[in-house]
Amino acid sequence: MGKVAAGRNEPCRCGSGLKYKKCCLGKEVAFVNYRGERAVYVRNDLSVIANRLTALLEEIVAGSGSLDIYSGFNLLKEIYRIYDAMHEFFSGAYSCGKGCAHCCCLYVTISRLEADLVKDYVTGSLSKDVQNNLYNNYLARAKEYPQRGYKHKSEEAVARLAKGYFNKKIPCIFLSERGECTVYEARPFSCRALVVTSDPENCKGINRIKRFYPYGDHEYIKKAVLTLSERVFGEDAEARHLPAWFSNGFMTGF
């Protein structure tokens, strides 16, 4: 027989000294990180936010008709806001932190709408000097990137490309000298989803890493983001390597 849960007024079996109803009742463990810490959450609280995100994604995917860019921006920001709220349940047990920039050398693809939101943030929030420095980052590494018009022919081809790219350790053009993201508030979904629970040393590429996604259907979010971009830009909305969208600087348009 399985273990019988403690009674509501009995001492909680986690050892906290509190009654079960005041401690772990209704809570679940999402994962145990590399330090042995448990990411504990209340299922009902998380479900409320997850259901909000699901409803928004379904509305976007099932929708028809074109959208202007600012409506697209607002819906994209709402996806980000809700997804970030889900991360808050577990962020204390993540391995990631400021200056830990190993994932900022990964091959990341983003849609045009995400790229234009980054451009809007750069031109609206960062100084001209910072903008020039960021573009110089692009120019300095341009020869190491896949060609601007590179087409992803298959998932296997992308996987091979991504592995070789990571081994080159080419930093993202938006990474500061201190290892911080200069466009953190507007960073695309692929970057927001890059959180790990394993030892940060593993992120250097020596050992396997353990990723965690707070929303079960990670691919559905990616689909909705691309669909949203298509409703704004049509055929020009395809996902491309992140730096490719900034080959002409930070003015909108490509």
Side-chain angles (χ1 to χ4, degrees):
M1 293 180 62
K3 292 183 178 180
V4 178
R8 291 174 57 86
N9 293 306
E10 293 179 11
C12 189
R13 291 174 179 169
C14 75
S16 66
L18 299 174
K19 291 182 178 180
Y20 179 57
K21 66 181 181 181
K22 295 290 186 179
C23 190
C24 289
L25 178 62
K27 296 181 180 179
E28 298 187 26
V29 178
F31 60 84
V32 179
N33 68 16
Y34 77 102
R35 297 185 296 266
E37 299 168 342
R38 303 186 310 158
V40 179
Y41 70 102
V42 178
R43 174 186 283 270
N44 288 344
D45 292 348
L46 182 63
S47 293
V48 169
I49 300 177
N51 289 340
R52 259 185 235 149
L53 182 56
T54 298
L56 177 61
L57 299 178
E58 289 177 346
E59 176 186 340
I60 291 170
V61 171
S64 60
S66 61
L67 294 169
D68 64 80
I69 190 168
Y70 293 106
S71 296
F73 279 174
N74 288 335
L75 287 169
L76 183 59
K77 288 177 182 178
E78 185 65 3
I79 292 175
Y80 290 169
R81 187 190 69 78
I82 300 175
Y83 188 71
D84 290 349
M86 295 186 72
H87 271 306
E88 287 298 316
F89 283 83
F90 313 103
S91 58
Y94 291 160
S95 307
C96 313
K98 280 189 176 182
C100 177
H102 302 304
C103 64
C104 298
C105 295
L106 292 173
Y107 182 81
V108 173
T109 59
I110 66 173
S111 67
R112 180 174 175 180
L113 184 64
E114 294 174 281
D116 273 14
L117 183 61
V118 171
K119 291 176 182 179
D120 187 69
Y121 178 82
V122 169
T123 56
S125 302
L126 304 180
S127 69
K128 286 293 184 182
D129 285 343
V130 173
Q131 292 180 44
N132 290 335
N133 288 338
L134 294 177
Y135 188 54
N136 286 335
N137 286 344
Y138 172 84
L139 295 176
R141 301 161 194 163
K143 292 182 179 179
E144 300 180 87
Y145 299 140
Q147 292 299 310
R148 172 174 150 170
Y150 176 84
K151 300 291 184 181
H152 298 99
K153 297 179 181 179
S154 67
E155 290 296 325
E156 293 77 13
V158 173
R160 288 195 298 272
L161 175 63
K163 182 177 180 180
Y165 189 86
F166 179 71
N167 289 337
K168 294 179 182 178
K169 295 294 188 290
I170 307 168
C172 175
I173 66 172
F174 297 112
L175 192 65
S176 74
E177 293 181 356
R178 295 183 297 178
E180 298 176 357
C181 178
T182 54
V183 294
Y184 188 80
E185 291 182 28
R187 69 197 188 284
F189 174 70
S190 291
C191 298
R192 290 171 192 269
L194 285 170
V195 296
V196 300
T197 64
S198 48
D199 192 324
E201 287 296 309
N202 292 5
C203 296
K204 295 178 180 179
I206 302 171
N207 299 305
R208 292 181 63 84
I209 64 173
K210 293 181 180 179
R211 293 184 181 178
F212 177 74
Y213 302 112
Y215 185 81
D217 197 344
H218 174 75
E219 292 300 318
Y220 192 55
I221 302 179
K222 292 171 63 176
K223 176 182 178 181
V225 169
L226 185 56
T227 299
L228 187 56
S229 188
E230 289 170 346
R231 291 180 63 187
V232 175
F233 296 109
E235 294 180 356
D236 295 328
E238 64 180 296
R240 299 190 180 190
H241 185 213
L242 186 151
W245 292 112
F246 309 103
S247 59
N248 292 326
F250 300 108
M251 298 303 294
T252 54
F254 184 65

